[in-house]
Amino acid sequence: MGDDRRIRRLVVNGAVWYWTVRQRVRPDYADCRVTLSLCPEASAQNVQRRLSLVFAPGPGRIVSNSYFEAGTLVRLPDRAWLNLYEPGTVRRLLDAAAPVLENPSSVQNLEVDGWPYFTEVVDHADSDT
């Protein structure tokens, strides 16, 4: 399968973003996490804010641990799913989370719950069909 931890490049409207997916597997499934981290290429002001969307298992929410393909997120009971290794998925999540990055803050590493953005992306895709 190759190196799943590599840094990938995504170009959005001329802006370059680097992204990676990290999976933390623990013996207790409740402590597992899948994190999508996005960081823009250095700007003229050299300001970089990393956005990390953290996905943890919970009621009606499944993160890949071993049964599903790496990077897979599933919402129950509708079985909606996304795979964080797909560039199209990353682009849609970045678009959904963009307003968070526009808020002024001195925090350089912004870590937020990714499930609300999952819902926004999946529900928006469902309304388009």
Side-chain angles (χ1 to χ4, degrees):
M1 181 195 254
D3 184 8
D4 287 336
R5 294 177 54 114
R6 73 173 190 240
I7 296 174
R8 294 163 171 85
R9 187 173 180 264
L10 180 70
V11 179
V12 179
N13 299 327
V16 177
W17 288 83
Y18 296 101
W19 59 282
T20 187
V21 177
R22 302 280 190 232
Q23 187 165 347
R24 184 179 79 185
V25 178
R26 299 282 193 232
D28 184 10
Y29 178 67
D31 294 330
C32 294
R33 302 286 182 269
V34 177
T35 303
L36 170 65
S37 296
L38 297 135
C39 186
E41 191 171 58
S43 65
Q45 296 83 17
N46 242 358
V47 176
Q48 286 187 331
R49 282 182 79 190
R50 183 176 68 192
L51 173 64
S52 295
L53 302 178
V54 180
F55 297 90
R61 298 173 174 175
I62 299 171
V63 299
S64 59
N65 188 2
S66 61
Y67 183 73
F68 295 104
E69 183 177 336
T72 300
L73 309 169
V74 180
R75 179 180 70 189
L76 299 174
D78 64 351
R79 298 182 187 166
W81 65 276
L82 294 175
N83 188 309
L84 298 180
Y85 285 106
E86 295 177 1
T89 297
V90 173
R91 168 65 192 268
R92 292 190 309 270
L93 287 168
L94 177 59
D95 289 345
V100 171
L101 289 171
E102 294 171 4
N103 295 336
S105 174
S106 61
V107 177
Q108 291 299 311
N109 298 317
L110 186 60
E111 190 171 293
V112 297
D113 179 16
W115 286 108
Y117 304 108
F118 174 100
T119 300
E120 186 175 333
V121 166
V122 169
D123 292 349
H124 180 73
D126 288 343
S127 67
D128 286 345
T129 57

